[in-house]
């Protein structure tokens, strides 16, 4: 029997600056009414100028380590899911390794946009199952405000900054991560991307003028794809786990748009009371959504030992991911 990976503890960090829909009304041609009715978002957090993805990730990690009673020196591996790394390289995981004093840990980043945290969680679980590593820190951290085009009302109202972290270990007797589904469709790279700043379109004055260093999205196309992919992936994952939706206590969907969550819940025939939703307060924090939601719900005492959690994500790539996990 492979050793399963369980979540020992969680942490989260949200920057203190709140950007409300009313604030956005002063920046672009939008309204609180439009944002709330089309997305469900009321406000989002924005990191300070000198606060980076690694700072937020390290803060979330420190909390997860403290709650789990783990010494940073006992961490074997740090995986950071982010599409807004501090630098192209070194990886954000290396900056965090230094910040938290995890001197023994290997460290690398995973890039699967909004699906990144679940990709990282599944990757980490393989090291635990194989017995190679005992304690792994998995972090989702994003400073999306640094890649948002603050002149584009189609996208700037959607995103926020933040970080979440989990400590993974094998817990004897616990089933932990029961099943997963990971997927990608590289034929759809265009509908959600940051066109410039990689080697494909290097930064030049002309590129900056065209604002190609910022996130671009065909919202409607992404929306439709997201609903289908999240449903399909959840179904595959449930089948892999050998369980039915009514056995799942908590559904944790990617926090992009309340209407996407509603559509997923309706298709699965599951009441919204079993969905964890915090997008009205934080907007879409990409790879950070999932661990922030996990931490907040866990802190509220809503998860009980033995509860089954279905997490499902969707993002640029396009990518999607789901996991069934026993708390
Ligand atoms: O995390 C990665 C995954 N990302 C997502 O899942 C996001 C998926 N997409 C969405 O959530 C939605 O498509 C949006 C929230 C981005 C947009 O909602 P929509 O209902 O698809 O609106 P739309 O793009 O079709 O725009 C409808 C109208 C347009 O005006 P016209 O052309 O009908 O005159 C837009 O220009 O709403 C306009 N609009 C806005 N109006 C006020 C777009 N953004 C805004 C805005 N404020 N912020």
């Amino acid at each position: 029997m492979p050793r399963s990976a369980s979540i020992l503890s969680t942490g989260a960090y949200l920057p203190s600056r709140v950007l409300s829909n009313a604030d956005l009304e002063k920046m672009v041609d939008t309204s609180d009414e439009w944002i709330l009715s089309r997305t469900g978002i009321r406000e989002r957090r924005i990191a300070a100028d000198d606060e980076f993805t690694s700072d937020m990730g390290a803060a979330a990690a420190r909390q997860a380590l403290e709650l789990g009673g783990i010494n940073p020196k006992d961490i074997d591996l740090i995986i950071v899911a982010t599409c807004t790394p501090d630098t192209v390289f070194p990886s954000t995981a290396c900056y965090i390794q230094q910040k938290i004093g995890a001197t023994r840990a290997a460290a690398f980043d995973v890039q699967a946009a909004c699906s990144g945290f679940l990709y990282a969680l599944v990757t980490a679980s393989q090291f635990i199952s194989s017995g190679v590593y005992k304690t792994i820190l998995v972090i989702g951290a994003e400073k999306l405000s640094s890649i948002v085009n603050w002149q584009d009302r189609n996208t700037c109202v959607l995103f926020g900054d933040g970080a979440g972290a989990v400590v993974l270990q094998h817990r004897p007797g616990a089933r932990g991560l029961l099943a997963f589904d990971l997927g990608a469709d590289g034929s759809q790279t265009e509908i959600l991307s940051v066109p410039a700043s990689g080697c494909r379109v290097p930064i030049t004055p002309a590129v900056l003028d065209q604002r190609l260093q910022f996130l671009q999205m065909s919202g409607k196309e992404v929306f439709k794809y997201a609903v289908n992919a999240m449903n399909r992936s959840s179904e595959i994952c449930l089948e892999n786990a050998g369980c039915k939706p009514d056995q799942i206590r908590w559904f944790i969907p990617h926090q992009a748009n309340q209407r996407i969550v509603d559509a997923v819940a309706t298709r699965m025939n599951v009441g919204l009371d079993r969905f964890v939703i915090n997008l009205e307060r934080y907007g879409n924090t990409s790879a950070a959504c999932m661990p922030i939601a996990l931490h907040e719900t866990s802190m509220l005492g809503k998860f009980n030992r033995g509860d089954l959690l279905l997490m499902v994500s969707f993002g640029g790539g396009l990518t999607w991911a789901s996991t069934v996990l026993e708390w």
Side-chain angles (χ1 to χ4, degrees):
M1 262 295 271
R3 294 154 55 86
S4 59
S6 288
I7 293 179
L8 175 75
S9 57
T10 60
Y13 174 82
L14 278 312
S16 54
R17 184 179 161 207
V18 176
L19 185 71
S20 68
N21 291 350
D23 296 326
L24 280 163
E25 285 178 355
K26 294 175 203 137
M27 296 162 63
V28 285
D29 180 16
T30 190
S31 65
D32 174 47
E33 195 282 326
W34 190 96
I35 302 171
L36 196 54
S37 63
R38 304 310 292 164
T39 72
I41 300 166
R42 288 179 192 275
E43 58 188 40
R44 66 290 291 143
R45 300 298 179 93
I46 304 293
D49 289 349
D50 60 354
E51 189 172 42
F52 308 120
T53 299
S54 65
D55 296 314
M56 294 186 277
R62 280 188 204 103
Q63 186 178 30
L65 293 174
E66 198 182 312
L67 290 174
I70 299 288
N71 185 322
K73 307 249 176 323
D74 290 333
I75 301 168
D76 298 306
L77 173 65
I78 300 170
I79 308 182
V80 176
T82 186
C83 60
T84 48
D86 283 28
T87 49
V88 172
F89 77 89
S91 68
T92 301
C94 283
Y95 291 111
I96 293 177
Q97 190 235 31
Q98 189 274 330
K99 282 177 205 242
I100 64 173
T103 44
R104 258 191 356 91
F108 65 89
D109 288 0
V110 160
Q111 217 283 48
C114 301
S115 311
F117 178 77
L118 292 185
Y119 265 74
L121 189 73
V122 170
T123 304
S125 75
Q126 308 307 309
F127 287 104
I128 302 246
S129 296
S130 67
V132 172
Y133 290 139
K134 184 167 170 273
T135 306
I136 304 183
L137 192 54
V138 184
I139 300 167
E142 301 280 13
K143 186 173 181 176
L144 291 167
S145 59
S146 69
I147 58 161
V148 159
N149 181 352
W150 290 105
Q151 297 175 4
D152 176 14
R153 70 174 185 174
N154 291 296
T155 53
C156 76
V157 302
L158 305 173
F159 299 98
D161 300 334
V166 302
V167 176
L168 271 195
Q169 277 187 346
H170 171 66
R171 194 167 60 231
R175 292 192 296 164
L177 186 75
L178 288 173
F180 66 85
D181 173 60
L182 304 180
D185 180 356
S187 73
Q188 301 295 320
T189 51
E190 308 280 297
I191 64 173
L192 179 50
S193 73
V194 177
S197 70
C199 67
R200 188 176 285 243
V201 185
I203 296 290
T204 62
V207 162
L208 293 178
D209 278 351
Q210 294 170 68
R211 305 183 76 75
L212 296 177
Q213 72 277 30
F214 296 126
L215 180 152
Q216 295 185 352
M217 178 169 72
S218 307
K220 260 200 189 350
E221 289 170 63
V222 173
F223 187 106
K224 278 189 229 145
Y225 206 120
V227 173
N228 288 328
M230 285 169 75
N231 269 103
R232 208 176 47 236
S233 184
S234 304
E235 279 167 17
I236 294 169
C237 195
L238 283 168
E239 201 179 310
N240 291 346
C243 51
K244 300 259 174 285
D246 57 11
Q247 292 172 269
I248 300 292
R249 178 64 190 88
W250 292 104
F251 293 78
I252 311 182
H254 178 45
Q255 309 283 319
N257 187 320
Q258 182 65 46
R259 290 186 296 135
I260 294 180
V261 177
D262 293 346
V264 169
T266 303
R267 285 207 201 170
M268 295 184 84
N269 201 18
V270 172
L272 279 177
D273 55 327
R274 280 158 66 205
F275 274 69
V276 174
I277 303 165
N278 63 17
L279 60 87
E280 62 171 324
R281 285 175 289 133
Y282 306 134
N284 181 349
T285 57
S286 188
C289 285
M290 210 53 84
I292 292 172
L294 272 177
H295 176 71
E296 284 197 338
T297 317
S298 155
M299 287 295 104
L300 289 170
K302 290 189 176 180
F303 296 152
N304 292 308
R305 281 271 174 266
D307 279 356
L308 291 184
L309 274 51
L310 175 79
M311 295 191 264
V312 55
S313 250
F314 178 82
L318 299 171
T319 55
W320 54 89
S322 11
T323 57
V324 172
L325 185 123
E326 186 186 85
W327 188 250

